[in-house]
Coordinates of all heavy atoms in Angstrom, one line a residue:
M105 N -15.7 -44.0 -36.5 CA -16.9 -43.6 -37.5 C -17.8 -42.7 -36.7 O -18.1 -42.7 -35.5 CB -17.6 -44.9 -37.9 CG -16.7 -45.8 -38.6 SD -16.2 -45.3 -40.2 CE -17.1 -46.2 -41.3
S106 N -18.3 -41.7 -37.5 CA -19.3 -40.8 -37.1 C -20.6 -41.2 -37.8 O -20.7 -41.4 -39.0 CB -18.9 -39.4 -37.4 OG -20.0 -38.6 -37.1
V107 N -21.7 -41.3 -37.0 CA -22.9 -41.7 -37.5 C -23.9 -40.5 -37.2 O -24.0 -40.1 -36.2 CB -23.4 -42.9 -36.9 CG1 -24.9 -43.3 -37.5 CG2 -22.6 -44.1 -37.0
S108 N -24.5 -40.1 -38.5 CA -25.5 -39.0 -38.4 C -26.7 -39.5 -38.8 O -26.9 -40.3 -39.9 CB -25.1 -37.8 -39.3 OG -23.8 -37.2 -39.0
V109 N -27.9 -39.3 -38.2 CA -29.2 -39.7 -38.6 C -30.2 -38.5 -38.8 O -30.1 -37.4 -38.1 CB -29.8 -40.8 -37.7 CG1 -29.0 -41.9 -37.6 CG2 -30.0 -40.1 -36.3
A110 N -31.1 -38.6 -39.8 CA -32.0 -37.5 -39.9 C -33.5 -38.2 -40.4 O -33.3 -39.1 -41.1 CB -31.6 -36.5 -40.9
R111 N -34.4 -37.7 -39.9 CA -35.9 -38.1 -40.4 C -36.5 -36.9 -41.2 O -36.6 -35.9 -40.6 CB -36.7 -38.4 -39.2 CG -38.1 -38.7 -39.7 CD -38.9 -39.4 -38.6 NE -38.7 -40.9 -38.8 CZ -39.0 -41.7 -37.9 NH1 -39.7 -41.6 -37.0 NH2 -38.7 -43.0 -38.3
V112 N -36.6 -37.1 -42.5 CA -36.9 -36.0 -43.4 C -38.4 -36.2 -43.8 O -38.7 -37.2 -44.4 CB -36.1 -36.1 -44.7 CG1 -36.4 -34.9 -45.7 CG2 -34.7 -36.2 -44.3
P113 N -39.2 -35.2 -43.4 CA -40.6 -35.4 -43.7 C -41.0 -35.2 -45.1 O -40.6 -34.0 -45.6 CB -41.3 -34.2 -42.8 CG -40.3 -33.5 -42.3 CD -39.0 -34.1 -42.6
T114 N -41.6 -36.0 -45.8 CA -41.9 -35.9 -47.2 C -42.8 -37.0 -47.6 O -42.6 -38.2 -47.2 CB -40.7 -35.9 -48.1 OG1 -41.2 -35.8 -49.4 CG2 -39.8 -37.2 -48.0
G115 N -43.8 -36.7 -48.4 CA -44.7 -37.7 -48.9 C -44.2 -38.5 -50.1 O -44.8 -39.5 -50.7
S116 N -43.0 -38.1 -50.6 CA -42.3 -38.5 -51.8 C -41.0 -39.4 -51.5 O -40.0 -39.3 -52.4 CB -42.1 -37.5 -52.8 OG -43.3 -36.8 -53.1
A117 N -40.9 -39.9 -50.3 CA -39.6 -40.5 -49.9 C -39.3 -41.5 -50.9 O -38.0 -41.5 -51.2 CB -39.8 -41.0 -48.4
S118 N -40.0 -42.5 -51.2 CA -39.6 -43.5 -52.0 C -39.1 -43.0 -53.5 O -38.1 -43.4 -53.9 CB -40.8 -44.5 -52.4 OG -40.5 -45.5 -53.3
R119 N -39.8 -42.1 -53.9 CA -39.4 -41.5 -55.2 C -37.9 -40.8 -55.1 O -37.0 -41.1 -55.9 CB -40.3 -40.4 -55.7 CG -39.9 -39.8 -57.1 CD -41.0 -39.1 -57.6 NE -41.8 -38.5 -56.8 CZ -42.8 -37.5 -56.8 NH1 -42.8 -36.8 -57.9 NH2 -43.6 -37.1 -56.0
Y120 N -37.7 -39.9 -54.1 CA -36.4 -39.4 -53.8 C -35.3 -40.3 -53.7 O -34.2 -40.3 -54.0 CB -36.5 -38.4 -52.8 CG -37.6 -37.3 -53.0 CD1 -38.1 -36.7 -51.9 CD2 -37.9 -36.9 -54.3 CE1 -39.0 -35.6 -52.0 CE2 -38.8 -35.9 -54.5 CZ -39.4 -35.3 -53.4 OH -40.3 -34.3 -53.6
L121 N -35.7 -41.4 -52.7 CA -34.6 -42.5 -52.5 C -34.2 -43.2 -53.9 O -32.9 -43.3 -54.2 CB -35.2 -43.6 -51.7 CG -34.4 -44.7 -51.2 CD1 -35.0 -45.3 -49.9 CD2 -34.3 -45.8 -52.2
Q122 N -35.1 -43.4 -54.7 CA -34.8 -44.2 -56.1 C -34.0 -43.2 -56.9 O -33.1 -43.7 -57.6 CB -36.0 -44.7 -56.6 CG -36.7 -45.8 -55.8 CD -37.9 -46.3 -56.4 OE1 -38.0 -47.0 -57.4 NE2 -39.1 -45.9 -55.8
Q123 N -34.5 -41.9 -57.0 CA -33.8 -40.9 -57.9 C -32.4 -40.8 -57.4 O -31.4 -40.9 -58.2 CB -34.5 -39.6 -57.9 CG -35.8 -39.6 -58.6 CD -36.6 -38.4 -58.4 OE1 -36.9 -37.8 -57.5 NE2 -36.8 -37.8 -59.6
L124 N -32.2 -40.7 -56.1 CA -30.7 -40.4 -55.7 C -29.9 -41.7 -55.8 O -28.8 -41.5 -56.4 CB -30.8 -40.1 -54.2 CG -29.4 -39.7 -53.5 CD1 -28.8 -38.5 -54.3 CD2 -29.5 -39.4 -52.1
A125 N -30.4 -42.8 -55.6 CA -29.7 -44.0 -55.8 C -29.3 -44.2 -57.3 O -28.2 -44.6 -57.6 CB -30.5 -45.3 -55.3
K126 N -30.2 -44.0 -58.2 CA -30.0 -44.1 -59.6 C -29.0 -43.1 -60.1 O -28.2 -43.3 -60.8 CB -31.2 -44.0 -60.4 CG -32.2 -45.2 -60.4 CD -33.4 -44.9 -61.1 CE -34.5 -46.0 -60.8 NZ -35.8 -45.6 -61.4
H127 N -29.1 -41.8 -59.5 CA -28.1 -40.8 -59.9 C -26.8 -41.2 -59.5 O -25.8 -40.9 -60.3 CB -28.6 -39.5 -59.2 CG -27.6 -38.3 -59.2 ND1 -27.5 -37.7 -60.4 CD2 -26.8 -37.8 -58.4 CE1 -26.6 -36.7 -60.3 NE2 -26.2 -36.7 -59.1
W128 N -26.5 -41.8 -58.3 CA -25.2 -42.0 -57.9 C -24.7 -43.5 -58.3 O -23.5 -43.8 -58.1 CB -25.0 -42.0 -56.4 CG -24.9 -40.4 -56.1 CD1 -24.3 -39.5 -56.7 CD2 -25.0 -39.9 -54.8 NE1 -24.1 -38.3 -56.1 CE2 -24.7 -38.5 -54.8 CE3 -25.6 -40.3 -53.5 CZ2 -24.7 -37.7 -53.7 CZ3 -25.8 -39.4 -52.5 CH2 -25.3 -38.0 -52.7
S129 N -25.6 -44.2 -58.9 CA -25.2 -45.6 -59.2 C -24.2 -45.6 -60.4 O -23.4 -46.8 -60.5 CB -26.5 -46.4 -59.8 OG -26.9 -46.0 -60.9
H130 N -23.9 -44.7 -61.1 CA -22.9 -44.6 -62.2 C -21.5 -44.4 -61.5 O -20.5 -44.7 -62.1 CB -23.2 -43.5 -63.0 CG -24.5 -43.6 -63.8 ND1 -24.8 -44.6 -64.5 CD2 -25.6 -42.9 -63.5 CE1 -26.1 -44.4 -65.0 NE2 -26.6 -43.4 -64.4
K131 N -21.4 -43.8 -60.3 CA -20.1 -43.6 -59.7 C -19.8 -44.2 -58.5 O -18.6 -44.4 -58.0 CB -20.1 -42.0 -59.3 CG -20.4 -41.0 -60.4 CD -20.4 -39.6 -59.9 CE -20.9 -38.7 -60.9 NZ -21.1 -37.4 -60.3
M132 N -20.8 -44.9 -57.8 CA -20.7 -45.5 -56.5 C -21.4 -46.9 -56.4 O -22.2 -47.3 -57.3 CB -21.2 -44.6 -55.4 CG -20.5 -43.3 -55.2 SD -21.4 -42.2 -54.3 CE -21.2 -40.7 -55.3
E133 N -20.9 -47.6 -55.3 CA -21.6 -48.9 -55.1 C -23.0 -48.6 -54.5 O -23.1 -48.2 -53.5 CB -20.8 -49.8 -54.2 CG -21.5 -51.1 -53.8 CD -20.5 -51.8 -52.9 OE1 -19.3 -51.6 -52.9 OE2 -21.1 -52.5 -52.0
V134 N -24.0 -49.0 -55.3 CA -25.4 -48.7 -54.9 C -26.3 -49.9 -54.9 O -26.3 -50.7 -55.9 CB -26.1 -47.5 -55.7 CG1 -27.5 -47.5 -55.6 CG2 -25.2 -46.3 -55.7
S135 N -27.2 -50.1 -53.9 CA -28.2 -51.1 -53.9 C -29.5 -50.5 -53.4 O -29.5 -49.6 -52.6 CB -27.8 -52.3 -53.2 OG -27.6 -51.8 -51.8
F136 N -30.7 -50.7 -54.0 CA -31.9 -50.2 -53.6 C -33.0 -50.7 -54.0 O -33.1 -51.6 -55.0 CB -32.0 -48.5 -54.0 CG -32.2 -48.4 -55.4 CD1 -33.5 -48.2 -56.0 CD2 -31.1 -48.4 -56.4 CE1 -33.6 -48.0 -57.5 CE2 -31.3 -48.3 -57.6 CZ -32.5 -48.1 -58.1
T137 N -34.2 -50.6 -53.2 CA -35.6 -51.0 -53.6 C -36.4 -49.8 -53.5 O -35.9 -48.7 -53.2 CB -36.1 -52.1 -52.7 OG1 -36.2 -51.6 -51.4 CG2 -35.2 -53.2 -52.7
A138 N -37.7 -49.9 -53.6 CA -38.6 -48.7 -53.4 C -38.6 -48.3 -52.0 O -39.0 -47.1 -51.7 CB -40.0 -49.1 -53.9
E139 N -38.3 -49.1 -51.1 CA -38.3 -48.8 -49.6 C -36.9 -48.6 -48.9 O -36.9 -47.8 -48.0 CB -39.1 -49.9 -48.9 CG -40.5 -50.1 -49.2 CD -40.6 -51.0 -50.5 OE1 -39.6 -51.8 -50.8 OE2 -41.6 -50.8 -51.1
E140 N -35.9 -49.2 -49.5 CA -34.4 -49.0 -48.8 C -33.4 -48.9 -49.8 O -33.7 -49.3 -51.0 CB -34.2 -50.2 -47.9 CG -35.3 -50.5 -47.0 CD -34.9 -51.6 -46.0 OE1 -33.8 -52.3 -46.3 OE2 -35.6 -52.0 -45.2
G141 N -32.4 -48.1 -49.5 CA -31.3 -48.0 -50.3 C -30.1 -47.8 -49.5 O -30.0 -47.4 -48.4
R142 N -28.9 -48.1 -50.2 CA -27.6 -48.1 -49.6 C -26.7 -47.6 -50.7 O -26.6 -48.1 -51.8 CB -27.2 -49.3 -49.1 CG -25.8 -49.3 -48.4 CD -25.3 -50.7 -47.8 NE -24.1 -50.7 -47.1 CZ -22.9 -50.6 -47.5 NH1 -22.7 -50.5 -48.8 NH2 -22.0 -50.6 -46.7
I143 N -25.9 -46.5 -50.3 CA -24.9 -46.0 -51.2 C -23.5 -45.9 -50.5 O -23.5 -45.3 -49.4 CB -25.2 -44.5 -51.7 CG1 -26.7 -44.7 -52.4 CG2 -24.3 -43.9 -52.6 CD1 -27.3 -43.3 -52.7
A144 N -22.5 -46.6 -51.0 CA -21.2 -46.5 -50.5 C -20.4 -45.6 -51.3 O -20.1 -45.7 -52.6 CB -20.6 -47.9 -50.5
F145 N -19.8 -44.6 -50.7 CA -19.1 -43.5 -51.2 C -17.6 -44.0 -51.3 O -17.1 -44.8 -50.6 CB -19.1 -42.3 -50.5 CG -20.4 -41.5 -50.5 CD1 -21.3 -41.9 -49.5 CD2 -20.7 -40.6 -51.5 CE1 -22.7 -41.3 -49.6 CE2 -22.0 -40.0 -51.4 CZ -22.9 -40.3 -50.5
P146 N -16.8 -43.5 -52.3 CA -15.4 -44.0 -52.5 C -14.5 -43.8 -51.3 O -13.6 -44.5 -51.1 CB -14.9 -43.2 -53.8 CG -16.0 -42.7 -54.5 CD -17.2 -42.6 -53.3
G147 N -14.7 -42.8 -50.4 CA -13.8 -42.4 -49.4 C -14.2 -43.2 -48.0 O -13.6 -43.2 -47.1
G148 N -15.3 -44.1 -48.2 CA -15.7 -45.0 -47.0 C -16.9 -44.5 -46.4 O -17.4 -45.3 -45.4
S149 N -17.5 -43.3 -46.7 CA -18.8 -43.1 -46.1 C -19.8 -43.9 -46.7 O -19.8 -44.4 -47.9 CB -19.0 -41.6 -46.5 OG -18.1 -40.7 -45.8
V150 N -20.9 -44.1 -45.9 CA -22.0 -44.9 -46.3 C -23.3 -44.2 -46.1 O -23.5 -43.7 -44.9 CB -22.1 -46.4 -45.8 CG1 -23.3 -47.1 -46.2 CG2 -20.9 -47.1 -46.1
L151 N -24.2 -44.1 -47.0 CA -25.6 -43.6 -46.7 C -26.5 -44.8 -46.8 O -26.6 -45.4 -47.8 CB -25.9 -42.4 -47.8 CG -27.3 -42.0 -47.7 CD1 -27.6 -41.2 -46.6 CD2 -27.6 -41.1 -49.0
E152 N -27.4 -44.8 -45.8 CA -28.5 -45.8 -45.8 C -29.8 -45.0 -45.8 O -29.9 -44.1 -44.9 CB -28.3 -46.8 -44.7 CG -27.2 -47.7 -44.9 CD -26.8 -48.5 -43.6 OE1 -26.7 -47.9 -42.6 OE2 -26.9 -49.7 -43.7
M153 N -30.7 -45.4 -46.5 CA -32.0 -44.7 -46.5 C -33.3 -45.6 -46.4 O -33.2 -46.7 -46.9 CB -32.2 -44.0 -47.9 CG -31.2 -42.9 -48.0 SD -31.3 -42.1 -49.7 CE -30.6 -43.5 -50.8
K154 N -34.3 -45.3 -45.7 CA -35.5 -46.1 -45.6 C -36.6 -45.1 -45.8 O -36.8 -44.0 -45.2 CB -35.7 -46.7 -44.2 CG -36.8 -47.6 -44.1 CD -36.7 -48.5 -43.0 CE -38.0 -49.4 -43.0 NZ -37.9 -50.4 -42.0
A155 N -37.5 -45.4 -46.8 CA -38.6 -44.6 -47.1 C -40.0 -45.3 -46.6 O -40.2 -46.5 -46.6 CB -38.8 -44.5 -48.6
D156 N -40.9 -44.4 -46.2 CA -42.3 -44.8 -45.8 C -43.1 -43.8 -46.4 O -42.7 -42.9 -47.1 CB -42.5 -45.2 -44.3 CG -42.4 -44.0 -43.4 OD1 -42.5 -42.8 -43.9 OD2 -42.0 -44.2 -42.3
S157 N -44.4 -43.8 -46.0 CA -45.4 -42.9 -46.8 C -45.2 -41.4 -46.3 O -45.6 -40.5 -47.0 CB -46.8 -43.3 -46.4 OG -47.0 -43.3 -45.0
D158 N -44.6 -41.2 -45.1 CA -44.4 -39.7 -44.6 C -43.1 -39.3 -44.5 O -42.8 -38.2 -44.2 CB -45.2 -39.8 -43.3 CG -46.7 -40.0 -43.3 OD1 -47.3 -39.7 -44.4 OD2 -47.1 -40.8 -42.4
T159 N -42.0 -40.2 -44.4 CA -40.7 -39.7 -44.1 C -39.7 -40.6 -44.8 O -39.9 -41.7 -45.3 CB -40.4 -39.9 -42.7 OG1 -40.6 -41.3 -42.3 CG2 -41.2 -39.0 -41.8
L160 N -38.5 -39.9 -45.0 CA -37.3 -40.6 -45.5 C -36.3 -40.6 -44.4 O -35.9 -39.4 -43.9 CB -36.7 -39.9 -46.7 CG -35.4 -40.4 -47.4 CD1 -35.7 -41.8 -47.8 CD2 -34.9 -39.5 -48.4
D161 N -36.0 -41.8 -43.8 CA -35.0 -41.7 -42.8 C -33.7 -42.1 -43.5 O -33.5 -42.9 -44.2 CB -35.2 -43.0 -41.9 CG -36.5 -42.7 -41.0 OD1 -36.8 -41.5 -40.7 OD2 -37.3 -43.6 -40.6
V162 N -32.6 -41.3 -43.0 CA -31.3 -41.4 -43.5 C -30.3 -41.5 -42.4 O -30.5 -41.1 -41.3 CB -31.0 -40.2 -44.5 CG1 -31.7 -40.1 -45.6 CG2 -31.0 -38.9 -43.7
V163 N -29.3 -42.5 -42.7 CA -28.3 -42.8 -41.8 C -27.1 -42.6 -42.5 O -26.8 -43.4 -43.5 CB -28.4 -44.1 -41.1 CG1 -27.1 -44.4 -40.2 CG2 -29.7 -44.3 -40.3
L164 N -26.1 -41.6 -42.0 CA -24.9 -41.4 -42.9 C -23.7 -41.7 -41.9 O -23.6 -41.2 -40.8 CB -24.8 -39.9 -43.3 CG -23.7 -39.4 -44.0 CD1 -23.4 -40.1 -45.2 CD2 -23.7 -37.8 -44.1
T165 N -22.9 -42.6 -42.3 CA -21.8 -43.1 -41.5 C -20.6 -42.6 -42.3 O -20.3 -42.8 -43.5 CB -21.7 -44.6 -41.5 OG1 -22.9 -45.0 -41.0 CG2 -20.5 -45.0 -40.6
V166 N -19.6 -41.7 -41.7 CA -18.6 -41.1 -42.2 C -17.4 -41.6 -41.3 O -17.3 -41.6 -40.1 CB -18.7 -39.6 -42.0 CG1 -17.4 -38.9 -42.6 CG2 -20.0 -39.1 -42.8
P167 N -16.2 -42.0 -42.0 CA -15.0 -42.4 -41.3 C -14.4 -41.3 -40.5 O -14.6 -40.1 -40.8 CB -14.0 -42.7 -42.4 CG -15.0 -43.1 -43.7 CD -16.1 -42.0 -43.4
D168 N -13.7 -41.6 -39.4 CA -13.1 -40.6 -38.6 C -12.1 -39.8 -39.4 O -11.4 -40.5 -40.3 CB -12.3 -41.4 -37.4 CG -13.3 -41.9 -36.4 OD1 -14.5 -41.4 -36.4 OD2 -12.9 -42.8 -35.6
G169 N -12.0 -38.6 -39.2 CA -11.1 -37.7 -39.9 C -11.7 -37.0 -41.2 O -11.2 -36.2 -41.7
D170 N -12.8 -37.6 -41.6 CA -13.5 -36.9 -42.9 C -14.5 -35.9 -42.4 O -14.9 -35.7 -41.2 CB -14.3 -38.0 -43.5 CG -13.5 -38.9 -44.5 OD1 -12.2 -38.7 -44.5 OD2 -14.1 -39.7 -45.2
D171 N -14.8 -35.0 -43.3 CA -15.7 -33.9 -43.0 C -17.2 -34.2 -42.9 O -17.8 -34.4 -43.9 CB -15.4 -32.9 -44.0 CG -16.1 -31.5 -43.6 OD1 -17.0 -31.4 -42.8 OD2 -15.7 -30.4 -44.2
V172 N -17.7 -34.5 -41.8 CA -19.1 -34.9 -41.5 C -19.9 -33.8 -42.1 O -21.0 -34.2 -42.8 CB -19.3 -35.1 -40.0 CG1 -20.8 -35.5 -39.8 CG2 -18.5 -36.3 -39.5
E173 N -19.8 -32.6 -41.7 CA -20.7 -31.5 -42.2 C -20.8 -31.4 -43.6 O -21.9 -31.2 -44.3 CB -20.3 -30.2 -41.7 CG -20.7 -30.0 -40.2 CD -22.1 -30.2 -39.9 OE1 -23.1 -29.6 -40.7 OE2 -22.4 -30.8 -38.9
R174 N -19.7 -31.7 -44.4 CA -19.5 -31.6 -45.9 C -20.4 -32.8 -46.5 O -21.1 -32.6 -47.4 CB -18.2 -31.7 -46.4 CG -18.1 -31.6 -47.9 CD -16.6 -31.8 -48.4 NE -16.2 -33.0 -48.3 CZ -16.3 -34.1 -49.1 NH1 -17.3 -33.9 -50.1 NH2 -15.8 -35.4 -48.8
M175 N -20.3 -33.9 -45.8 CA -21.0 -35.2 -46.3 C -22.5 -35.0 -46.1 O -23.4 -35.3 -46.9 CB -20.5 -36.5 -45.6 CG -19.1 -36.9 -46.2 SD -19.2 -37.2 -47.9 CE -20.3 -38.4 -48.1
R176 N -22.9 -34.4 -44.9 CA -24.2 -34.1 -44.8 C -24.9 -33.1 -45.7 O -26.0 -33.2 -46.2 CB -24.5 -33.4 -43.3 CG -24.3 -34.4 -42.2 CD -24.6 -33.6 -40.9 NE -24.4 -34.5 -39.6 CZ -24.7 -34.1 -38.3 NH1 -24.9 -32.7 -38.2 NH2 -24.6 -34.8 -37.4
D177 N -24.0 -32.1 -46.0 CA -24.4 -31.1 -47.2 C -24.6 -31.8 -48.5 O -25.4 -31.4 -49.3 CB -23.4 -29.9 -47.3 CG -23.5 -29.1 -46.0 OD1 -24.6 -29.1 -45.3 OD2 -22.6 -28.2 -45.8
V178 N -23.6 -32.7 -48.9 CA -23.7 -33.5 -50.1 C -25.1 -34.2 -50.3 O -25.8 -34.1 -51.2 CB -22.4 -34.4 -50.2 CG1 -22.8 -35.3 -51.4 CG2 -21.2 -33.6 -50.5
V179 N -25.4 -34.9 -49.2 CA -26.6 -35.7 -49.1 C -27.7 -34.8 -49.2 O -28.7 -35.0 -50.1 CB -26.7 -36.6 -48.0 CG1 -28.1 -37.2 -47.8 CG2 -25.6 -37.6 -48.0
S180 N -27.8 -33.7 -48.3 CA -29.1 -32.9 -48.4 C -29.2 -32.1 -49.7 O -30.3 -32.0 -50.2 CB -29.1 -32.0 -47.1 OG -28.0 -31.2 -47.1
S181 N -28.2 -31.6 -50.2 CA -28.2 -30.8 -51.4 C -28.7 -31.6 -52.6 O -29.5 -31.2 -53.5 CB -27.0 -30.1 -51.7 OG -25.9 -31.0 -52.1
H182 N -28.2 -32.8 -52.7 CA -28.7 -33.8 -53.8 C -30.1 -34.1 -53.7 O -30.8 -34.1 -54.7 CB -27.7 -34.9 -53.8 CG -26.6 -34.8 -54.6 ND1 -25.4 -34.1 -54.1 CD2 -26.1 -35.1 -55.8 CE1 -24.5 -34.1 -55.0 NE2 -24.9 -34.6 -56.0
L183 N -30.6 -34.5 -52.5 CA -31.9 -34.7 -52.3 C -32.8 -33.5 -52.5 O -33.9 -33.7 -53.0 CB -32.2 -35.3 -50.8 CG -31.8 -36.7 -50.7 CD1 -31.8 -37.2 -49.1 CD2 -32.7 -37.7 -51.4
D184 N -32.3 -32.4 -52.1 CA -33.2 -31.2 -52.5 C -33.4 -30.9 -54.0 O -34.3 -30.4 -54.5 CB -32.5 -29.9 -51.8 CG -32.9 -29.7 -50.4 OD1 -33.9 -30.3 -50.0 OD2 -32.2 -28.9 -49.7
R185 N -32.4 -31.3 -54.7 CA -32.5 -31.2 -56.3 C -33.6 -32.1 -56.8 O -34.2 -31.5 -57.7 CB -31.2 -31.6 -56.9 CG -30.1 -30.7 -56.8 CD -28.9 -31.1 -57.7 NE -27.8 -30.6 -57.0 CZ -26.5 -31.0 -57.2 NH1 -26.3 -32.1 -58.2 NH2 -25.4 -30.7 -56.8
F186 N -33.8 -33.1 -56.3 CA -34.9 -34.1 -56.8 C -36.2 -33.6 -56.1 O -37.2 -34.0 -56.7 CB -34.6 -35.6 -56.3 CG -33.2 -36.1 -57.1 CD1 -32.4 -36.5 -56.2 CD2 -33.3 -36.0 -58.4 CE1 -31.0 -37.0 -56.9 CE2 -32.1 -36.6 -58.9 CZ -31.0 -37.0 -58.2
A187 N -36.3 -32.9 -55.0 CA -37.3 -32.4 -54.3 C -37.6 -31.1 -54.6 O -38.2 -30.3 -53.8 CB -37.3 -32.8 -52.8
F188 N -37.3 -30.5 -55.8 CA -37.4 -29.1 -56.1 C -38.7 -28.5 -55.9 O -38.9 -27.5 -55.4 CB -36.8 -28.8 -57.5 CG -37.6 -29.4 -58.5 CD1 -38.7 -28.8 -59.1 CD2 -37.4 -30.7 -59.0 CE1 -39.5 -29.2 -60.2 CE2 -38.1 -31.3 -60.1 CZ -39.2 -30.7 -60.7
R189 N -39.8 -29.4 -55.9 CA -41.1 -28.7 -55.7 C -41.3 -28.5 -54.2 O -42.3 -27.7 -54.0 CB -42.1 -29.7 -56.3 CG -42.2 -29.9 -57.7 CD -43.4 -30.8 -58.2 NE -43.3 -30.9 -59.7 CZ -42.7 -31.8 -60.3 NH1 -42.1 -32.8 -59.7 NH2 -42.7 -31.9 -61.6
E190 N -40.7 -29.2 -53.3 CA -40.9 -29.0 -51.9 C -39.7 -28.5 -51.2 O -39.7 -28.6 -50.0 CB -41.5 -30.2 -51.2 CG -40.7 -31.4 -51.3 CD -41.4 -32.6 -50.6 OE1 -41.9 -32.5 -49.4 OE2 -41.5 -33.7 -51.2
A191 N -38.6 -28.4 -52.0 CA -37.2 -28.0 -51.3 C -37.4 -26.6 -50.7 O -38.1 -25.7 -51.2 CB -36.2 -28.0 -52.3
P192 N -36.6 -26.4 -49.7 CA -35.6 -27.3 -49.1 C -36.3 -28.3 -48.1 O -37.2 -27.9 -47.5 CB -34.6 -26.2 -48.4 CG -35.5 -25.2 -48.0 CD -36.5 -25.0 -49.0
L193 N -35.9 -29.4 -48.1 CA -36.3 -30.6 -47.2 C -35.8 -30.2 -45.9 O -34.7 -29.6 -45.9 CB -35.9 -31.9 -47.8 CG -36.5 -32.4 -49.0 CD1 -35.8 -33.7 -49.4 CD2 -38.1 -32.6 -48.9
T194 N -36.4 -30.7 -44.8 CA -36.0 -30.5 -43.4 C -35.1 -31.7 -43.0 O -35.7 -32.7 -42.9 CB -37.1 -30.2 -42.6 OG1 -37.9 -29.1 -43.0 CG2 -36.7 -29.9 -41.1
F195 N -33.9 -31.5 -42.7 CA -32.9 -32.5 -42.2 C -32.7 -32.2 -40.6 O -32.1 -31.2 -40.5 CB -31.8 -32.6 -43.0 CG -31.8 -33.1 -44.5 CD1 -32.3 -32.3 -45.5 CD2 -31.5 -34.4 -44.6 CE1 -32.5 -32.8 -46.7 CE2 -31.6 -35.0 -45.9 CZ -32.1 -34.2 -46.9
D196 N -33.2 -33.0 -39.8 CA -32.9 -32.8 -38.4 C -31.7 -33.6 -38.0 O -31.8 -34.4 -37.2 CB -34.2 -33.1 -37.6 CG -34.5 -34.7 -37.7 OD1 -34.1 -35.2 -38.5 OD2 -35.3 -35.1 -37.0
W197 N -30.5 -33.4 -38.6 CA -29.4 -34.1 -38.4 C -29.1 -34.2 -36.8 O -29.1 -33.2 -36.2 CB -28.2 -33.6 -39.1 CG -28.1 -33.6 -40.6 CD1 -28.3 -32.6 -41.4 CD2 -28.0 -34.8 -41.5 NE1 -28.3 -33.1 -42.6 CE2 -28.1 -34.5 -42.7 CE3 -27.8 -36.1 -41.1 CZ2 -27.9 -35.4 -43.8 CZ3 -27.8 -37.1 -42.1 CH2 -27.8 -36.7 -43.4
R198 N -28.7 -35.4 -36.4 CA -28.3 -35.7 -35.1 C -27.3 -36.8 -35.1 O -27.2 -37.6 -36.0 CB -29.4 -35.8 -34.0 CG -30.4 -37.0 -34.5 CD -31.7 -37.1 -33.8 NE -32.5 -38.2 -34.0 CZ -33.1 -38.4 -35.2 NH1 -33.0 -37.6 -36.2 NH2 -33.8 -39.5 -35.3
E199 N -26.5 -36.9 -34.0 CA -25.7 -38.1 -33.9 C -26.4 -39.2 -33.6 O -27.3 -39.3 -32.7 CB -24.6 -37.7 -32.8 CG -23.6 -36.5 -33.0 CD -22.8 -36.6 -34.2 OE1 -22.2 -37.9 -34.3 OE2 -22.7 -35.8 -35.0
G200 N -25.9 -40.3 -34.2 CA -26.6 -41.6 -34.1 C -25.8 -42.5 -33.2 O -26.0 -43.4 -32.8

């Protein structure tokens, strides 16, 4: 498994977390509160999010053999859609 983590600076972390979770809840296994969320993708990847007043922390776990960069792009592009007023958000992706 490959683990990617990013700390995304935003004052709207909770709102974006909830919007993304609701958006994907029709297609994927999703659980979330205002502060934390977990999204399980069909191919085995998992996105975990934690919101506080200044940042959205994301942890993306991708199975070996899957395209990590593509999954990072899927997550960041979807969050940017919800953050259109301040997009593009800054994702400092690094190996976790």
Side-chain angles (χ1 to χ4, degrees):
M105 298 292 256
S106 172
V107 179
S108 300
V109 296
R111 175 162 278 177
V112 182
T114 178
S116 302
S118 177
R119 179 174 18 167
Y120 300 153
L121 179 157
Q122 293 176 73
Q123 286 177 307
L124 185 63
K126 288 175 188 174
H127 174 73
W128 276 336
S129 67
H130 305 289
K131 301 177 189 174
M132 295 167 225
E133 181 184 320
V134 173
S135 61
F136 69 97
T137 65
E139 296 82 28
E140 295 184 4
R142 182 180 188 280
I143 299 167
F145 293 87
S149 294
V150 175
L151 174 66
E152 295 172 296
M153 301 175 286
K154 185 170 183 170
D156 65 25
S157 60
D158 299 321
T159 58
L160 177 64
D161 290 331
V162 295
V163 177
L164 177 63
T165 305
V166 179
D168 290 336
D170 280 4
D171 189 342
V172 174
E173 286 300 319
R174 184 183 69 78
M175 288 304 297
R176 286 179 177 182
D177 288 343
V178 166
V179 170
S180 61
S181 66
H182 276 77
L183 282 167
D184 276 344
R185 284 186 213 164
F186 298 118
F188 63 91
R189 288 184 184 93
E190 62 178 314
L193 296 172
T194 303
F195 288 81
D196 62 344
W197 290 113
R198 59 199 185 283
E199 295 299 313

